[in-house]
Amino acid sequence: PVHTVLLDGYYLDAHEVTNNAYAEFLNQSGDQTCQEQLCLDPEHTDVFFENDVYLVPDELAQNPATGITWFGAMAFCEWRDARLPTEAEWEKAAAWDEDGTNARRYPWGDDFDGQIVNFCDAACQEPQANAEFNDGFAESAPVASFGEGRSATGVYDMAGNVWEWVADWYDATYYQVSTKENPTGPAGGED
């Protein structure tokens, strides 16, 4: 449900983590596990391990990292002396319009525009493909490719491109009991 939340100041990167940046993290950390869990799902990523080093095909180096587990996302953030945003922080960065003092339905406004977001369109091979639009990418697009689709806070790809992690556990009813200031999600859960 829509509700008022007060958040302290925070920083969010302007775009998703690239394959190149994630491979650098894996190479510098020297470990394939993050908090004793896999950092990366090898079936859903463009990053690969060869000759004792993590690599990325040149043409995918600036695409957003995919196949990253939640544990891998947390470890990457810690490596950078950062953290994952809470769901409330992510939502504010994605939708809040400080000038209009309201939340938008999409990062760019209230009306969908398939030309300024990478999503499953005519180039996509999935059953849910929307043939009315073609953004030129069958799958992910290089980060920051859709400048007109940025949120009011200037963050790219808050809708479309790839899924993103937040720090919170998932609970469909959490907002009914959450604090009004800096909610951090439920104390535990399964997802």
Side-chain angles (χ1 to χ4, degrees):
V2 174
H3 62 287
T4 300
V5 173
L6 177 65
L7 296 173
D8 291 339
Y10 63 99
Y11 174 84
L12 194 67
D13 287 344
H15 61 74
E16 300 143 323
V17 174
T18 63
N19 281 320
N20 221 24
Y22 201 79
E24 179 183 351
F25 152 69
L26 292 171
N27 288 323
Q28 286 189 17
S29 70
D31 194 358
Q32 294 185 11
T33 61
C34 297
Q35 299 179 10
E36 299 180 16
Q37 303 289 327
L38 287 177
C39 300
L40 194 60
D41 178 349
E43 293 182 24
H44 296 100
T45 185
D46 298 316
V47 178
F48 61 94
F49 193 67
E50 183 177 279
N51 299 324
D52 295 327
V53 68
Y54 286 93
L55 302 167
V56 180
D58 288 342
E59 67 275 11
L60 299 174
Q62 294 306 306
N63 280 37
T66 57
I68 308 306
T69 66
W70 183 85
F71 297 98
M74 289 289 287
F76 177 84
C77 289
E78 289 171 9
W79 173 73
R80 290 189 53 218
D81 292 325
R83 65 175 174 81
L84 285 174
T86 65
E87 181 181 2
E89 290 168 337
W90 189 94
E91 286 184 13
K92 180 178 180 181
W96 190 251
D97 180 359
E98 294 285 345
D99 294 334
T101 62
N102 65 328
R104 301 168 168 189
R105 180 173 181 163
Y106 301 101
W108 55 85
D110 289 327
D111 297 318
F112 182 76
D113 183 344
Q115 299 304 122
I116 60 174
V117 60
N118 180 26
F119 76 110
C120 190
D121 59 14
C124 176
Q125 300 302 311
E126 298 296 324
Q128 71 271 21
N130 182 334
E132 293 181 36
F133 299 98
N134 186 348
D135 60 31
F137 299 96
E139 294 180 357
S140 67
V143 300
S145 292
F146 295 90
E148 291 181 48
R150 288 180 299 164
S151 70
T153 57
V155 182
Y156 292 86
D157 300 318
M158 296 299 281
N161 220 10
V162 298
W163 293 3
E164 299 173 4
W165 288 113
V166 295
D168 307 30
W169 286 99
Y170 173 74
D171 180 347
T173 62
Y174 176 67
Y175 284 148
Q176 295 171 3
V177 298
S178 68
T179 63
K180 299 255 186 250
E181 294 185 19
N182 301 306
T184 58
E190 294 183 24
D191 297 315

